[in-house]
Structures are given as structure tokens and as C-alpha cells.
Amino acid sequence: MFYMKNVLLVDDEVELLELYAMALEKCGFGVIPVTNALDGLAALKNKPIDVVITDISMPGMSGVEFIEKIHEYKYEVPIVVLSGHYRDSETIAKIKETYQQTIGIESKPINIAKLRNAVLRALGELDEVG
């Protein structure tokens, strides 16, 4: 039986959220797009999620706080982090050190091929070189 992999996409930038969601759907993924971390936590509780993609800088609960909650609630899901502030090395170092499930950290905006490959790596379907 075929099982479509579901991607939870969390980003407060609606235009990017819509663009990334459409692109991932065209790649064959099921996409649950939400504009904030609280809705992301609700989706994790209520839907089967295979990969989480989250922005870091969001109003309310930040992406770092969202990742902390994912681990606190023991959701076993790989996480891809998107950041328009990729140069914030302190935040990036904290995420890499603390959360082993975090598969990758990508700079925003990200091209569609790179986003697709980040999801495939998170799913274990593409090696680091691919």
C-alpha cells in the first residue's frame, strides 16, 4: 500500500508558506501548512507527520521554542529548520547541539530542489551528498 509522506510546514511568511506548500505537493508530498507554532503543535497532535519544516523567526512562539516543545512532547519526527537569519550562529549552534533529530538547517529563501532534497534527507531517502 502506498503511503504519502506528510510534511508539516510552519512559517509566518504566508507567501513563502504557500509557495513551498505548492512545490512540495507537486513533488508528491502531503503538506500541512500553518502560519504559527501553536497550530504546528496541534497538527502534530492530530495528524500523522513524517517531517517538520519550520522557520526560526516567528511571532509568538519562535521556531526554537517550537522545536523545544516537539522534543518535550516526545514527537519523534525529523526537523528541517529554515532561517532567513542563517548567520545567527549562536541559535544555529544551539539547535544542532541540543536536538539530534534536526536533520538540516537551510537558508531562506530556499529553492525548490534544495527544499525537496532536505525533505528526502530527513526521510532517510537521500544521502547528504545527493
Side-chain angles (χ1 to χ4, degrees):
M1 182 168 90
F2 175 74
Y3 170 65
M4 180 184 291
K5 302 295 183 174
N6 289 321
V7 177
L8 173 61
L9 185 56
V10 185
D11 198 322
D12 63 312
E13 294 180 61
V14 176
E15 297 82 15
L16 284 179
L17 181 72
E18 291 172 352
L19 173 70
Y20 296 158
M22 284 189 322
L24 288 170
E25 286 171 350
K26 285 183 180 179
C27 291
F29 299 107
V31 181
I32 298 98
V34 297
T35 58
N36 63 71
L38 287 175
D39 288 346
L41 289 174
L44 279 165
K45 180 179 179 184
N46 296 311
K47 300 178 191 263
I49 304 294
D50 298 294
V51 177
V52 171
I53 300 174
T54 185
D55 187 18
I56 286 292
S57 181
M58 297 184 287
M61 184 185 300
S62 74
V64 173
E65 293 167 318
F66 177 51
I67 293 167
E68 289 170 351
K69 290 291 184 189
I70 289 172
H71 288 277
E72 179 182 325
Y73 297 149
K74 302 197 183 325
Y75 294 117
E76 305 251 346
V77 60
I79 301 165
V80 175
V81 177
L82 299 179
S83 177
H85 308 284
Y86 191 75
R87 304 271 184 251
D88 183 357
S89 58
E90 188 175 310
T91 301
I92 301 304
K94 177 184 177 184
I95 292 169
K96 284 183 176 180
E97 261 181 49
T98 309
Y99 304 108
Q100 300 304 316
Q101 278 178 296
T102 303
I103 300 300
I105 299 174
E106 303 288 345
S107 183
K108 276 176 41 179
I110 184 172
N111 74 49
I112 302 311
K114 196 169 182 181
L115 181 64
R116 174 189 168 275
N117 288 347
V119 171
L120 290 173
R121 273 193 302 279
L123 292 168
E125 296 177 11
L126 185 68
D127 62 24
E128 286 300 316
V129 176

